Amino acid sequence: EKIAMLQGRSEAERLYRKVYKVLDFVAIREPISQLVMQDIGIDSTLSFDCVPLYIRDHYHNPKKQVKDKVVIAGSVAFTTAGVEQLARYIAELQHRGFTVELLMGAKAFPAADDTLFVDLLQSYFAKKLPVVVATSMEEWLDTINHATFFVSGRFHHSIAAFCVNTPFIALNSNTPKVHSICAFLGQSEPLLFTDPNLFIKLLERTAALAVDSCDNCAKIEEICRLAEKNFQGLKQLLAATAAAAS
């Protein structure tokens, strides 16, 4: 099994190397992936995801934090045991007076694991939790923006929470990307669905959240500058094309 895993990794690295070597410009959105590519000989520019640019340029809704409202989104890496502990955590939040909403949805191509996650989580509650099925960027961002705090194992959701100054607790995904952005953004590392003490750690992390003093403006400016590097290669190509045409 270990030999098969190593052979699969070697084949994946060969494919990545073959594709990336013919590209004129490579931008990678977080440091861990960039290091992986560096290890197999791929030069790249460190950039960031484009969600911060969308929020900066197109999302202008004011902060309207709803007191004692927690929004929870899933993860492609959820486990049955982990969801059971998450359900215990939600029940404890409700006992403490919080309203809990689940967030899912997409304008097109909704994630199948979202439905599986929500269905499994709802099975632990006689009174079903309210679910926001967002079908626009504004609805998705409003839901995160209005939360007192946010719990999610999704990459873009965590970035969005950071950019609208909503405190968040990260859960793991199926790759190190959420770990990477949390480290890069100065946030606590993601909790693991496979952790037998997930319930306790969620409570500890909740107690440590600074829900009244979240101001990420300086870091948001930095990651927007990095995100703009995604278009650096295109700008160079357009400049070269214009120069050739003249």
Side-chain angles (χ1 to χ4, degrees), residues 115-239:
T115 301
L116 294 173
F117 171 82
V118 168
D119 287 348
L120 178 58
L121 190 56
Q122 294 280 37
S123 70
Y124 292 97
F125 296 91
K127 183 179 179 181
K128 302 306 179 189
L129 300 166
V131 181
V132 176
V133 183
T135 57
S136 69
M137 285 290 288
E138 283 66 31
E139 185 178 15
W140 178 67
L141 287 168
D142 279 346
T143 305
I144 298 171
N145 187 28
H146 297 169
T148 306
F149 67 92
F150 182 59
V151 182
S152 170
R154 291 203 171 276
F155 181 78
H156 291 105
H157 292 58
S158 297
I159 294 172
F162 185 86
C163 290
V164 297
N165 288 303
T166 296
F168 68 94
I169 299 172
L171 298 166
N172 68 294
S173 186
N174 60 334
T175 72
K177 60 189 176 186
V178 177
H179 282 77
S180 184
I181 61 159
C182 283
F184 190 66
L185 297 175
Q187 303 294 298
S188 299
E189 67 177 3
L191 300 177
L192 306 179
F193 276 98
T194 54
D195 189 334
N197 297 311
L198 177 60
F199 169 68
I200 297 297
K201 290 183 179 179
L202 281 166
L203 293 179
E204 292 173 347
R205 190 69 62 83
T206 301
L209 282 176
V211 297
D212 297 323
S213 59
C214 191
D215 183 0
N216 302 320
C217 292
K219 194 68 177 182
I220 291 168
E221 289 182 8
E222 178 186 346
I223 61 178
C224 281
R225 288 194 295 270
L226 287 172
E228 288 168 345
K229 292 186 177 182
N230 289 316
F231 308 100
Q232 183 176 314
L234 178 60
K235 290 177 180 177
Q236 292 169 351
L237 177 62
L238 291 173

Side-chain angles (χ1 to χ4, degrees), residues 34 37 116 239:
Q34 188 186 38
M37 292 297 100
L116 294 173

